[in-house]
Amino acid sequence: MSSTPHDNDVILGRGRLISAHPGNVRFRHLVSQKREMYSQSRDNKFKRSVALSIVEEIESLDPPGRFLISQTGIKFAGIKEGVWVCVEKEKAIEKVLHRLREKNLGNCMKENGVQQESSGAKEGQSMLVSQNNSSANKNQVDGRSVATGDWHQLVIQSQIEQNTDLNCHSDNTSHLQANDYVSMPFEVGRSSETKVIQGSTRDDNGSGSCRINLSKTSKEYMVNFGRLMQSEPLVQSSNQCIKFDDVTNALISSHFDDEYDLIDPNILTLQQWIDESKPSDKSALPVYIRSAILIALKLTERLIFAGQSAGENPDANNRIPIAVIDARNVLVTVASEDLPTGSQITEEFNWDMSESSTELNKQEKEGSIVRKCILRVEFSPIVEINCVPDTTMSRLAALGCILYELVSIGERLSLHSISKEAFSLNAIQLNNDGNSDDGSELIEQRSKKSTPRPVDDRYSHLTMKLASIGIPHRLIDMVENLLNCSQGEFSGDYAYKSLDEVMVDLELMLNDPSRFLNSTSISDNLDLAISDELYGREKEIRKLRDVCERCLEGKSCGALILGEGGVGKSTLAMCTKLFTHDANGYFVSGKFDRNSTRPFMAIGDVFNSICDSFASDIQSPEQERTMAEALSRSLGNDACLLLDIVSNLSKLLPLHASCESSSVDAASRTRYLLLTLLDTLSKFSKPIIIFLDDLHWIDPASLSFCNALLQHTKNNKNLCFVFCSRYIEEKTADNINVNDWLQSLSESTLETIHLTNLNPEEVNRLVSGSLRTSPRLTRSLSTVLHSKSLGNPFFLRQTMEVLCKEGYFHFSLIERKWKWDLDEILDLRLDDNVVALLTRQMSKLPEDLLIGLKAASCIGNFIPYSIVGILSKHLGLDLDAIFRSLVQRSYLTDNDSTRFRFAHDRIHQAAYTMMSKKQQRDDHMKIGLAICRYVLEYNENDYDMMFIGVNQLNQGGPDALSDERQHFTIAQLNLKAGQRALALTDFPSAFSFFDHGIKFLRPDYWKIHYQLSLTLFSAAVESACALSDATHVTSFTEVVLKHSQCLEDRLAVLYFAVKSLKKAKRLLACRDGILRVLEQMGEDTFNVLATPPAEDIHNTNDLLTSTMTDDFFIHMCQCSQKSFIFLMRFYHELVYVYYVIDPTRIFGISLRMVVLTFQNGLTDTSSLAFAYYGMEVTAKGNLMIGNRLGTIALRLSENSKYISNVIAVVKQYISWVSEPFHAIAESNLVGFHAGNRIGDEFSSSLNYYLHTTTCFLCGKNLSVLKEVCSAEIVRLIENKHKWFVPSFSMLYWVIAELIDGSDFQSTNHNPLIPCEQSIVTIPANAMHGSLELFLDICKLMRSLFFRRDMDKCVSVLDRIMAACQLRPLTIIGVFFEGLISFEMARKASDSMKWISNGEIALTFMKKWESSKWNFENKIKLLEAERMRSLGFFDLATKLYQEAILSSEKHKFVHEHAISLEMQGLFFVSRKFNDDAKISLEKSVKFHKTWGANAVAKRIETYVTKHLTNGNSTES
């Protein structure tokens, strides 16, 4: 928001106008007051508090002071007319800290022997504008006062613009016309001494006077001096004459930060600066040269600035006239004559960004070379110059003369002397308008030629002098090209055309001297070194740095860099490596490969690098022990399961070989363990930046992990992710479109950075840097290269390499620069894409290199060292030498210590496309056979090598085999590779291996290789089921059913077929399929489901109530019979189906599972059998048997993959009878974590839902629960696990209303959370039975809490009492219905019906009165309500109090609040208003403690309305 500055504001910016602003004056005064306090402290926190106190003091002014910065820049019009905005407070504090540090410069200068000027000396340092010192008129100029006027008023009023008098004596007037001269004695002082400027214009008598040519433009330029001084009157010197120093300083300060206006400057003429900075020997020359370039750059900037202010009008006041552009008019302001390198001010003005020689750096560090800090450089119109025509070319030539004097170390060169002949010739030629061969046409023709051509060597004697001094060739060329501008339009193609071109070249010399300044050896330039810098990406680099900083603040997850191939995505991403170094963190990277050689290769690389980095940083055994303990706590015994993916984990945690562990979903388990590992490591403070490249080649398993990774680490301040990808049209193996995934990813969690091709100017910068030539000279060439490469950086670099190799670029040994023939390049037919260009270049390689390159392209982007020797033997070539030769030619890299890799995926693509499809298949097969023979002969357990070999065989395909006998072997290898991929939880890769194995089988495979065929198809169905690929599950199952020899062989595929139906939520089809299989296995499903045999019930219960210990059941023998194992699994799946569609059938199924277990022994599902049956008998009231079954189930599940499922069933459906709700909630949280560990996402989410609802029933804080619900809903939706989204959402809206009241839906909520209306309108046939019951219980709760629509509530009593499964939520539903029933009995006409309903609820509750912790207070409150409704008030009074005490004792804060409210309303009905008010006010207190602010507000309103004025109406 823009603001207008007022006098209390502090303006951030440059110039005397800003420096003189009242707020800035006050600011400097405050800084000076607190400087000593700041400088004396060594505590950074205290120093910051000093700065903060200054900011707060300014903000406390009236009106409050602000720190403002301009958005438009300040012109001469003044501060008020700009657009100003407030800076952030943190930036203001940094500004103050900077100023506090900076103002110690005075002390620093004293310590270095620099004396400061006294005020008296300053007054004496003036340039006197006077023709005599007549005291009679010392205060008058043209009859007007000087003391009170400023320079602008002085010049205007003295009638210089009207070519009239400049009066300094009333009796002696000199008429000054244009081109007249004024004799001006002057002195420029430093410290306490006075030195007279030495120059060619000094009078012979040594008086020190000079002559100023007051031409019209010069006089206007002098008028402009005054305009820069509008905010401050000039101070007069002791002899009452105007101080010319003030004029000069005013002009100088208008272009520099007001940060330095308190620095004690030394103002030198250019000749004085040269004399004092002259290098003593050649070792000091580089420092002098760079200082000279800096002065030239500042002069060029000043000329450009003045020209921009003047616009196109050469007569404008701001334009510096040609008469002034001379070395004798240059003033250099330095901070000190002997300020050593490393002091604060030199660090502030550290413009030298080059890498100097070792000796030079050493001398600077030792202090033998002293760097003078150049603060300002300016033109001052104090010297007579014979003018030449004021054109752009003449101004460039004048600048060249100044630069020559600088680099020649003081040799004077006159612009007039080099321009006289040139400009007379130009006048003749330019007047010949009728000649068709005029100069402009000649220049146009020349511009179309090849390398630019210079004019004659008229300045060779000057350049030879510079070369003899040791001036770099490129700087000599600049001087010569500037001097050539004196020839006007015949100045040659190398000559400069504008000051902007000069400034660009000077900046390049300063910022990149190794390319654009320093003379390099010939050997360095014989080969073209294409610049690998990022050009045109400054904005993207800044954004990437900002993203990394926000990540470390917890405000972002990272960045997604998108762009076409070759635009520099990976190079840009590698910038984060520097950011990581700045943050003292870790940078790790992985790269996805289209032909990935092993599952989770890129993810494994990342985690191995992280573990390796942490291991390298461990400094002591104590640190090592701390790290190992943290990992052991978080990963437990499952840590060894990660060794196959993260082998370097053993460096942090001592581990043995991978252990066996069952899981419901191995992929989910692996994701959980990897995320837990990353969480644990990231807690050790150092930030970690993870870079994953080529995301467009990501495999489905890695894609799933990356999804979970980003969701899991959203708020982790120590993690930042950078992904690179280009868009492709292909789809991944599991039919996920990568483009769609990238788009959804960028919108939700990552900040997108789009990279496009370079524009012509950016291409020119790249070409200029590569050819080490000024951008102005490469622009034509760059335009051609841009048109041919379309600005694609990789294509451009490859094109330049081709041009160099083919001789279109050549290095001139004489001129020591690159040259080219633009006409030949224009006529050259180049390839229109980079792959074709690379292919053409590769075709010229020697035959052995080409064979090696093709072989490498078949393997993939990575070529492990381990297979190089194997292939060398097979191909009869030394591939190691070949690959290293390809590294030298930049086709491959070997930066990794374990593998070669292609330098760019386009190179890989080009090498691969050089082969025909048949040749590709044949080479894949040959490579695969060679690798697999080695694996089978030497190391069958080398799975990494096996993955590479089998992948090669599969890319070759069955048609590439010439030996039929090899089909069986390759199918077996695919089976082994697939089984290994399953163990690594990479189901897509596993399915691919199994599918390829099937394809290698011959048509009669079922007859010849029955067992191999059955195993391959069964494994393919399992992996397809894990991928939810119903199509392949169905097709492969049909094949097995057709060819299998017995039912037992079919059981595996049938089991995964029904699981696939369950995952697709085709529950009826799933039920029918299971029942068919069970009937085929001889099960009497009708009796199991409808009428379980009474004998089975009796025998089972007798066995469970016998004297046999729990250990007897736990240590029953394990059954290994395949058919029985699958029989129990089918029954387990049937329980799930009937829990959704008809829970009454679960009793018979669970009983049958327990009976089968007693008859045949234990299986992996036996723990579930005991848990399900315990759930059923508990609901029927047999608490002892139910509790024992629950205990047995938990003990059996300790090492089972069903532990999370068992915990959910036992704790919610059995243990609530004997354990407090609070303990059950914590047990469900344990079940949640256990489910994550074994990959059981459904049971894990179920446990978390049960934990959250039970916490709600225990009276946990509502605000906390609301956040928990919101986060879990978002997590479930983003991970596409929507099982419990409706239940969580309904609980969320109930909590929201309890907190916010009737307006709860109008407050801010996460848009991902389904609205309440969408939940309650779910069709009955699509709604889970338990969800419908939960919705009705929520209505009961809200009706009671808000005392509304009690008569409209749907009864839940009948459904709950008839239910086969009971849990805390359903019991609480009965409790709330009982309270509402007794409330309605006192209000409705049919009171006896409501009392009866309430008594039924009370009777049901009393069935569980043995659990006093959970139910005592609830039963007491229901009995109190019943006694009140029946009129037994004394007994009701006692029961209310007992209910209150019991709820407080058992920590049910919300039920404590409900009991107090009920008691208060009871007192109101009895007209005990004082007691009622006390109870209701306590109820308000406990409702607020719970977080139910809306309920508390309702009760407060009731108290105010009915009890404040003595009313006693019950509402």
Side-chain angles (χ1 to χ4, degrees), residues 1396-1416:
S1396 175
N1397 202 57
E1399 288 176 340
I1400 293 172
L1402 177 59
T1403 303
F1404 180 81
M1405 293 291 294
K1406 285 184 176 181
K1407 288 174 63 177
W1408 321 110
E1409 62 183 351
S1410 60
S1411 177
K1412 289 188 176 182
W1413 185 283
N1414 292 330
F1415 301 115
E1416 182 185 68

Side-chain angles (χ1 to χ4, degrees), residues 148 184 410 475 549 569 653 701 826 1097 1102 1216 1445:
T148 57
M184 301 178 66
L475 189 54
E549 290 175 352
K569 302 182 293 296
L653 182 64
L826 277 169
I1097 299 173
D1102 282 350
W1216 60 267
L1445 294 175

Side-chain angles (χ1 to χ4, degrees), residues 189 192 335 344 373 396 405 434 474 525 554 697 711 784 842 925 943 993 1047 1050 1054 1063 1178 1358 1376 1476 1506:
S192 59
Q344 193 168 10
C373 180
L396 288 167
E405 185 166 342
R474 291 183 175 89
N525 290 274
W697 298 133
Q711 300 304 327
V784 175
M842 291 174 182
M925 184 58 67
Y943 291 107
F993 284 125
L1047 175 61
R1050 294 192 289 271
L1054 288 171
K1063 292 181 70 173
T1178 298
D1358 294 338
F1376 272 86
H1506 297 285

Side-chain angles (χ1 to χ4, degrees), residues 824-893:
E824 291 185 4
I825 295 174
L826 277 169
D827 296 336
L828 183 65
R829 292 180 60 86
L830 292 175
D831 301 282
D832 58 359
N833 67 78
V834 68
V835 174
L837 178 69
L838 289 167
T839 301
R840 182 163 61 86
Q841 288 303 111
M842 291 174 182
S843 64
K844 299 176 183 179
L845 289 171
E847 184 178 357
D848 59 340
L849 296 187
L850 188 57
I851 293 173
L853 192 61
K854 290 179 179 179
S857 71
C858 287
I859 298 169
N861 274 325
F862 303 95
I863 307 97
Y865 289 168
S866 57
I867 69 169
V868 174
I870 300 172
L871 296 182
S872 295
K873 183 178 179 180
H874 176 73
L875 298 175
L877 296 171
D878 186 357
L879 282 183
D880 185 73
I882 290 173
F883 287 165
R884 297 196 184 281
S885 178
L886 291 171
V887 169
Q888 295 177 354
R889 295 171 184 257
S890 300
Y891 290 113
L892 301 178
T893 65

Side-chain angles (χ1 to χ4, degrees), residues 1333-1346 1348 1350 1353-1357 1360 1372-1378 1380:
L1333 181 61
F1334 175 57
L1335 296 180
D1336 289 338
I1337 292 173
C1338 288
K1339 292 177 184 177
L1340 288 171
M1341 291 180 178
R1342 293 161 100 168
S1343 294
L1344 182 70
F1345 281 123
F1346 292 101
R1348 70 184 182 210
M1350 293 187 182
C1353 290
V1354 178
S1355 175
V1356 297
L1357 272 176
I1360 293 175
I1372 297 302
V1374 173
F1375 170 61
F1376 272 86
E1377 182 161 348
I1380 289 176

Side-chain angles (χ1 to χ4, degrees), residues 512-559:
D512 196 357
S514 61
R515 282 200 183 100
F516 296 98
L517 174 61
N518 299 341
S519 298
T520 53
S521 62
I522 294 176
S523 59
D524 291 339
N525 290 274
L526 293 179
D527 294 326
L528 180 63
I530 307 297
S531 174
D532 58 356
E533 292 184 13
L534 280 170
Y535 291 96
R537 307 302 190 202
E538 292 80 7
K539 179 181 177 181
E540 288 81 5
I541 292 174
R542 286 194 299 271
K543 182 174 181 180
L544 189 58
R545 178 181 282 275
D546 291 343
V547 168
C548 291
E549 290 175 352
R550 285 197 295 276
C551 285
L552 301 182
E553 295 172 358
K555 299 178 181 178
S556 175
C557 280

Side-chain angles (χ1 to χ4, degrees), residues 8 75 149-150 173 199 210 348 398 446 525 585 621 651 664 710 783 820 841 940 946 1060 1174 1184 1274 1299 1315 1425 1464:
N8 290 343
K75 304 299 182 184
D150 61 21
T173 302
C210 68
E348 182 67 27
R446 285 183 179 179
N525 290 274
K651 295 182 178 181
V664 174
L710 290 172
T783 301
W820 58 90
Q841 288 303 111
E940 292 188 10
M946 183 183 66
S1060 178
M1184 185 187 72
V1274 172
I1299 295 173
C1315 66
E1425 285 288 284

Side-chain angles (χ1 to χ4, degrees), residues 1118-1177:
Q1118 292 284 334
C1119 181
S1120 59
Q1121 187 181 355
K1122 180 180 177 181
S1123 58
F1124 177 67
I1125 293 172
F1126 274 107
L1127 176 62
M1128 292 289 287
R1129 290 180 180 177
F1130 279 116
Y1131 270 126
H1132 164 54
E1133 298 299 331
L1134 196 61
V1135 168
Y1136 173 86
V1137 173
Y1138 274 115
Y1139 182 81
V1140 176
I1141 63 177
D1142 187 2
T1144 62
R1145 306 293 185 182
I1146 295 178
F1147 176 77
I1149 300 171
S1150 61
L1151 173 63
R1152 180 59 179 164
M1153 291 179 73
V1154 172
V1155 171
L1156 288 172
T1157 299
F1158 287 156
Q1159 293 174 351
N1160 297 279
L1162 298 172
T1163 68
D1164 56 353
T1165 53
S1166 294
S1167 59
L1168 285 170
F1170 286 110
Y1172 292 146
Y1173 189 59
M1175 172 180 69
E1176 294 296 318
V1177 297

